[in-house]
Amino acid sequence: MSQAMHRLWKYRYLTLMLLPTTIVIILHSYLPMFGVFIAFKNINYIDGIWRSPWVGLDNFDFLFSSGSLVRITRNTILYSLVFMVVNLVASVAFAVGVNELRKRWLARGYQSLIILPHFLSMVVVSYLVYAFLHPEHGFVNATVLRWLGEDAIYWYTEKGYWPYILVLVNAWKGVGIGAVIYIAAIAGIDPEYYEAAVIDGASKWKQTIHITLPSIQAIIIIMTILSMGSIFNADFGLFYQVPQDSGALYPVTDVVDTYVYRSLMKMNDIGMSSAAALVQSVVGFIMVILTNWTVRRINPEQALF
Amino acid sequence: MSTSLNNRARPRTRASRRENTLSPLSGALLNAAFLIVSLACLMPVVLVILVSFTHGDAILKNGYSFWPEQFSLIAYTSIFKDYGTVAGGYAVSIGVTIAGTALSVVLMALFAYPISRGDYPYRHAFTFFLFFTMLFNGGVVSRYLVYTQLLGLKDQYMALILPLLIVPFNVIIMRTFFQTTIHPALIESARIDGAGELRIFFRIVLPLSLPVMATMALFSTINYWNDWFNALLFITSEHKYPLQYLMMRVLNDVQYLRSNVELAAQNPELLRDLPNESLQMAMAVVGMGPILIVYPFFQKYFVKGLTVGAIKG
């Protein structure tokens, strides 16, 4: 006992250093964790959080039976999967291509340009998209479609186009930054493999298939599995701000994050939104644990914990 | 830190790839493909910049175009004349970004250092305490209620700063950096010379860790500058809007009025006061301006920081 006290005293300065951050983490992360009990309450502002009545699983019942859950779950997961595949293929292709460029200044230039979108906020991105899709003046309607002699399309009310637009915007924003890690991985491949391949007469294509891709296979698998961990999380900005919260587009743009936000801030339905948010947190938790378990089985070095 | 992409690639280029290059035709095709992709990344930004300098009449005639017929600065003059709010938004964004970044780097370092010390007995407990927040979170509703009801942060600048203060993954990167760069013998010898823990941290550890501090400051600056979601949740008074949120409001208000023709018909003055098209795009330029200006200088360090983080310890 006194030994424990002694240890506590000996390291008191280190503990003191930790303390402010610990408080911040408690306030920001741990209090809301304990706050998930509101999903089991019928919160009203008159009674306040503590005295509002418990309603058990009513909020969840409502969420399941309203049919919203099916829609937002389908949208969230499908978009996540498509984003994952599209961005992976494009990032790896970009990384492989950049590595073949002989002029390094060109490679650096291309890389600088393609990661630029990553640094723009989703609000800025929504302006950029708007500049293209504005119903009267947008570049697509006013220039492209006019040239082609086609009628203008009212982009913000036609939901058929949005799955493609969202995938495109997401790739535009994410491929460059996604490629960075693959470029680093490819740069780390032992050049002797390529030398040997050249002696054996392997073409560039063969080298890519048989040397480059297998060498970065491990990192590709890890990155993919890691993104599986966030499959039930959507980029709120992409789905809310880029389509400008247009009601006509909800069937294809409504994801868990936008749904939670809308039920909380617009409809003031704390019960429903907290139920949806809790479902998201729990699914997220399970996915991360599963993911890490899988990574550990493939390559313990890469596991997060 | 030496994982600079270009440094690694260079020796290979010189030594062994001389005979292993693409044929001139494939090389040209590859370059063409990259040129197109790079332009695709740049052109939307260019379009918005060009439109912001285009006269309203030309927009009405030709729409947003890459070939502006009538050049005009009117959007910018009206932004800075009539829209004192824009200047206000800038001030809020700059203030929040500076305060947030400074606090964030200090707090993360203060946490990362003790858990990096092999002799600190509680390091596992605190690491897990941090790590668990990456696994599970209370969700946005719970956080909203805690912030507004419990902490009283509704409409407070603190509500913009607190959420982005601690990025667990970045703390882990910092810890790894301390572990691999600061040799325990160094700390030991400083202690023998009579330095206390705080002195060791501020006089020895921090000066040796400037690269990782700079990287974290960069990450944090971008995070704060580009954040608008927390403003959307918590900020209600207009004079406290950060720039990104202000931009969002402008775009959404325009959209809202457009889609509610009746409302607009009853209140013609609303439509008249509506920022015109080039003005909206000027808003976008104003919003991304600082990023575009410093981008060429910082992107190298950002890439470096990312690859450091990727090689996890």
Side-chain angles (χ1 to χ4, degrees), chain A residues 32 36 38 236 256-262 264-265 273-274 276-278 280-281, chain B residues 137-147 229-230 233-234:
Chain A
V36 295
I38 50 183
F236 177 81
V256 180
D257 300 78
T258 54
Y259 179 83
V260 169
Y261 170 77
R262 222 175 356 253
L264 176 69
M265 305 295 277
S273 59
S274 58
L278 184 56
Q280 184 178 38
S281 297
Chain B
N137 64 76
V140 71
V141 183
S142 179
R143 183 159 74 86
Y144 177 79
L145 291 176
V146 167
Y147 271 45
F229 183 61
N230 290 299
L233 285 180
F234 300 114

Side-chain angles (χ1 to χ4, degrees), chain B residues 87-132:
Chain B
Y90 251 107
V92 172
S93 281
I94 291 172
V96 166
T97 302
I98 291 176
T101 302
L103 256 179
S104 166
V105 172
V106 171
L107 283 174
M108 294 206 295
L110 282 175
F111 195 89
Y113 173 64
I115 61 173
S116 79
R117 283 271 299 267
D119 59 330
Y120 183 57
Y122 316 112
R123 64 182 186 283
H124 292 301
F126 278 104
T127 308
F128 182 77
F129 171 80
L130 172 81
F131 189 68
F132 190 71

Side-chain angles (χ1 to χ4, degrees), chain A residues 133-203:
Chain A
L133 301 185
H134 187 289
E136 294 117 48
H137 313 309
F139 183 71
V140 177
N141 276 358
T143 305
V144 179
L145 291 181
R146 202 187 281 174
W147 269 351
L148 297 173
E150 302 275 340
D151 286 336
I153 295 169
Y154 288 88
W155 298 98
Y156 288 96
T157 50
E158 298 265 359
K159 64 177 186 189
Y161 301 106
W162 279 88
Y164 305 102
I165 296 173
L166 291 172
V167 169
L168 188 68
V169 172
N170 183 66
W172 181 81
K173 203 170 187 308
V175 165
I177 209 74
V180 167
I181 191 161
Y182 298 116
I183 293 175
I186 292 175
I189 300 174
D190 189 342
E192 284 184 12
Y193 290 122
Y194 294 100
E195 285 162 25
V198 173
I199 293 167
D200 291 345
S203 66

